[in-house]
Each structure stands twice: as C-alpha cells, then as structure tokens.
Amino acid sequence: MSNASVIGAYHTAFGAFTRPDRETGALIESKGYYDLLWEAARGAIEDAGLEPKDIDGIWLGTAFPEGFVDQAHPAPLALEIDPALRFVPTQRLEGACASSSVALYNAIYAVESGRFKRALVLGVEKMTSVSTQVMTALLARASYWPEEGAVGLTAPGMFAAYAQAYQAHYQISDAALRRAFAHVSALGYRNGAKNPLAHFGPGGLAERKGLLTAEAILALPDEGPGANAVVAAPLRLHDCSLVSDGAAAVVIAPRGAVAGREVHIAGIGQTTEVMRMGQRAQLYRHDAGIEAARRAYTEAGITAAAVEAAEVHDCFSINQILCTEALGLSAHGRAGFDYTEGRFTHEDHCAVNLSGGLKAKGHPVGATGVSMHAMLFKQMMGEGIGQTKAQPPAVTATLNVGGSGVTHCATVLRREA
Ligand code: COA
C-alpha cells in the first residue's frame, strides 16, 4: 500500500488557446505553455493550504514541449512562481500521453522514501501552437520510429489497428461497432458539456451542434460540412480526442501527515508493453493495462467492483473500450455493448469520465495523467467540477496510456474516512 496522499489539486481550463485571427490568419495566443504551468502550480499549492516555501520537490510530466513550444528542460520553469522555490530540485518525466502519471509515480517514490515531504506534481502541454500536420508528426515520434512513424503511421492509425483487431476478434458487426463508438463519444460529450473547464464544455461545440446523443452522432453525414468523416477506418472525427492546451497539478504528502483534505493513493501499477506494434501477440486487449490495474487493485486491496468513478484514457473511442475492460469494469469484448446499453453514466454504480474525458475535456497529452487525478480528487472531496454523482465517490481509479498502448499507469484513490 502506498504511503502517499493527494492533499490538493488544481486544473486549468483545457482548450485551444492559440487560434488564427479571423481576418488576418495570424496566430493569436491567449494562454501559453508557461502561463498554464504557472497557473496550475500556484493553484495546487493554494488548494493544499500551503505556501511555495513548503514544497521540497517538483515533478513535471510533459511530452513534446521541444516540438510544440521550442522549450527543452522545462521543469525548472516551475520555480518562477515564487522566489521561495529557489534551489528546490525539479525533474521532468516523459512517457508520451502518460507523462504526468509517470511523474506522479516518481514523486510518490520520493515521498515514500522519506526524503521529500511535500511534492508538487505538474502536467502540462501546449499543442495548438503548431498545425494539425506538425502535431500529428510530433505525436508519431512516440511510436517505434524506424518501423512505424517514419513510414507514416500516426496516432489515429495506431488505434485504428486496435479497433480492427478488436472487431475481428470479437466478431462485432460494422454497425454495432459504430453504434458503440457513438455511445462512447456521446457520453463524453454529455459529461464534458457540464464541465466548465472542458475544451468542449458548456455551450461548446458538441452542445452547440446537438451531439449529446449517439443518435445525433450517427446521423451526421460522412462528407461535407459538419461531417463525421473517417480519419483512420473505422475511427471517425468524433472518435478522436481533442487537440488541446492545458495543465493540472496535485500536491502529494506522506499519508496522514496533514489534517484535513486528503485522498490516499491506495495503489498504483505501472507497466510497459513491447513498443513495436508488429511484435505484439494481439491488439484486441491491453494486456499491460490489465496488469497495471491488477497491481493497483492488489496494492489497494480491492477489486474492480469497488470502483465508483474512473477516468480512462479515451484518446480514441476504441481505447475507452479497451481501458474499461482492462480496469475490469466490463468483461472482455463487452465494453462497447455496455456503453451502448447506457452504462457508466453519473447515475451508474461506476461512472466513467465524469470530466468528459479526452474526447470532451480535451487531451493536452502531457497534462492528461495529472488531470485525471486532479478531477477525481475534486470529485472525492465533494467539490466535483461539472458532472457529479449523487454521493461523492469514495474509491476511484485511473488508467492513463502512453504511446501506442505502451506505457500503462493505473491508480486507485481512496478517500480517508
Ligand atoms: N473531435 C471532434 N471535433 C473535432 C475534433 C475532434 N477530435 N478535432 C477537430 N474538430 C472539429 C473542429 O472543432 C472543427 O469544427 P468547426 O469547423 O465546426 O469549427 C472541425 O472539426 C475541423 O477542425 P480542424 O481543427 O480543422 O480539424 P483537424 O482536421 O485539423 O483535426 C483530427 C482533426 C481528428 C485530425 C485531430 O482532432 C486529431 O488529430 N485528434 C487526435 C489527437 C491525438 O492523436 N492525440 C493523441 C492520442 S494518442
């Protein structure tokens, strides 16, 4: 059982904070990488009831700042929020889209060692400063480059391969798969439409276009304006996560070290899958995700049945299905049908992606892991942002995935009585 707890959290708004000017086309930035990082850092320290001088170590998860914003060696930037942080050790962790869960776990090891008492863990990414084409090429670098990215495989292509394998293995018809994906996306859009910090939040694109039901998504045309066009078959536009800017942060401390708000990090599991997709036995199941969840559940002394809310890595609709199964919330081959039957809403025993997930909250890749933990911390404290359950969940779980299903980080959080 881990000996660390989350004692404070902060989440910036997620969105596209660099947009072309309507008239000139020139890019206008409303929030940059640095603004996001500093806002999250200040916010989490304040939320924990601490001051910067109380922080004795900083861990930053961020995936591609060298490419997105020309910034290498980004962890020391966190010190700029306050002179009292001078000399505090900082480190940057990278695990593609799981970067900030990896950062969190390394901070946990440091706190558990007894060497650190108050660790600030940050996740940040700024993706909209480059074109979709450049962004896609950067993300592809998290593949086994010589055999995958270099020959044109992109993130949608990688997860399309999972979708094809899943469909073939479980013998799911095209129509049933498409329906399941639409239900997954609609649930994300409905939850996101309640979340004021979401990229597709209240009054956002999904709500404005009336895409809060699977039927509405299924009724979209294949081509033309407003189409749900194929991006990488069978994945369509509304099966893809958003390209977002944003940051989140948590403060962790030894379990029981503070009086007051505390969520115990009851169990963690981090696993790594073979990187080359072509060398894996199959692509219809996240074996490494299953093992990460098993480790986290074992450490926490629970089973999947205890989980009341989960944030899972829906970078593409198929991955929400695979992650739901890896966490044991659905049987293998069944998650798509469970979503189609209306499970995993805020009214269910276990709600999935109350935040709107990567599909609607947004997916600033390096920020996503800490974002999941920050959102669940708020839910568990009865301070849920956006969609909430009737009762704040006492036990929650995350599954954050990096690369083409390579780095898997599962966490179990439990509210202290
Ligand atoms: N889901 C739903 N709508 C989306 C969207 C998405 N993922 N991406 C863009 N849109 C909407 C835009 O808001 C815009 O709507 P509007 O015309 O009504 O304003 C329209 O679609 C076109 O937007 P645009 O920015 O031109 O889209 P794009 O073609 O540049 O990007 C994708 C679309 C799917 C390629 C891009 O969202 C993507 O790559 N997503 C996946 C990101 C990823 O791989 N993350 C890492 C996962 S491991």
Side-chain angles (χ1 to χ4, degrees):
M1 187 167 289
S2 112
N3 184 30
S5 290
V6 180
I7 60 166
Y10 186 87
H11 202 284
T12 72
F14 280 8
F17 300 134
T18 300
R19 287 181 186 274
D21 181 82
R22 277 178 205 276
E23 281 171 18
T24 64
L27 290 181
I28 300 175
E29 182 177 272
S30 56
K31 264 190 195 182
Y33 185 83
Y34 311 92
D35 305 317
L36 292 162
L37 191 153
W38 292 329
E39 179 186 334
R42 286 195 188 96
I45 294 170
E46 191 181 322
D47 191 63
L50 301 175
E51 294 178 27
K53 67 173 173 47
D54 302 321
I55 299 296
D56 54 5
I58 297 175
W59 281 256
L60 169 65
T62 190
F64 304 98
E66 292 87 345
F68 287 135
V69 294
D70 295 322
Q71 179 67 63
H73 197 200
L77 292 165
L79 266 56
E80 305 222 354
I81 64 165
D82 197 289
L85 287 172
R86 191 165 178 229
F87 302 140
V88 167
T90 61
Q91 38 275 311
R92 177 255 184 110
L93 280 296
E94 190 276 307
C97 302
S99 291
S100 55
S101 286
V102 174
L104 173 66
Y105 293 176
N106 279 265
I108 291 170
Y109 308 145
V111 165
E112 286 180 332
S113 77
R115 193 175 281 267
F116 292 88
K117 299 282 178 238
R118 304 278 184 272
L120 174 65
V121 188
L122 294 154
V124 63
E125 208 76 59
K126 167 87 194 169
M127 301 173 74
T128 64
S129 39
V130 301
S131 65
T132 301
Q133 199 179 10
V134 171
M135 178 278 302
T136 303
L138 285 168
L139 293 190
R141 284 174 167 70
S143 68
Y144 186 82
W145 180 254
E147 291 177 10
E148 298 174 352
V151 296
L153 189 63
T154 61
M158 294 168 201
F159 286 88
Y162 278 103
Q164 289 159 11
Y166 187 89
Q167 181 177 10
H169 183 75
Y170 295 111
Q171 304 205 333
I172 299 171
S173 70
D174 290 349
L177 191 73
R178 193 165 173 190
R179 209 163 41 243
F181 285 176
H183 278 274
V184 164
S185 303
L187 175 61
Y189 284 162
R190 282 198 302 280
N191 286 342
K194 300 269 185 205
N195 179 354
L197 301 178
H199 189 153
F200 280 4
L205 183 136
E207 194 169 40
R208 278 201 319 275
K209 292 191 175 175
L211 300 179
L212 305 188
T213 64
E215 290 69 29
I217 293 172
L218 289 168
L220 292 171
D222 291 342
E223 298 174 8
N228 190 16
V230 171
V231 174
L235 302 176
R236 293 167 178 269
L237 178 70
H238 292 287
D239 297 316
C240 300
S241 54
L242 300 173
V243 179
S244 314
D245 309 326
V250 294
V251 177
I252 65 168
R255 185 183 184 194
V258 292
R261 291 155 83 241
E262 174 170 2
V263 162
H264 179 213
I265 302 165
I268 59 172
Q270 182 185 341
T271 57
T272 312
E273 182 53 276
V274 175
M275 193 153 178
R276 295 183 209 203
M277 293 184 81
Q279 288 193 353
R280 298 193 208 149
Q282 50 76 23
L283 290 175
Y284 56 81
R285 205 175 54 208
H286 279 321
D287 285 337
I290 293 167
E291 176 60 16
R294 191 194 64 73
R295 291 181 190 184
Y297 288 153
T298 303
E299 194 169 80
I302 65 158
T303 66
V307 177
E308 295 167 354
E311 289 286 325
V312 307
H313 197 92
D314 57 318
C315 53
F316 298 94
S317 305
I318 182 63
N319 213 47
Q320 178 152 340
I321 289 172
L322 293 172
C323 289
T324 303
E325 294 177 7
L327 278 178
L329 304 175
S330 282
H332 294 297
R334 289 297 312 168
F337 297 106
D338 288 345
Y339 281 104
T340 303
E341 287 162 16
R343 283 191 57 197
F344 305 122
T345 71
H346 64 291
E347 291 173 328
D348 207 343
H349 164 69
C350 180
V352 173
N353 290 356
L354 286 167
S355 68
L358 286 53
K359 173 72 273 207
K361 177 189 61 179
H363 185 27
V365 290
T368 286
V370 170
S371 159
M372 291 173 164
H373 292 82
M375 282 290 174
L376 288 176
F377 175 79
K378 295 283 183 188
Q379 290 284 347
M380 298 173 82
M381 289 290 101
E383 305 161 9
I385 300 168
Q387 186 71 276
T388 55
K389 300 190 80 181
Q391 295 296 325
V395 177
T396 66
T398 67
L399 183 54
N400 182 202
V401 179
S404 62
V406 176
T407 295
H408 292 256
C409 297
T411 306
V412 173
L413 298 172
R414 185 159 40 210
R415 192 175 55 234
E416 294 289 21

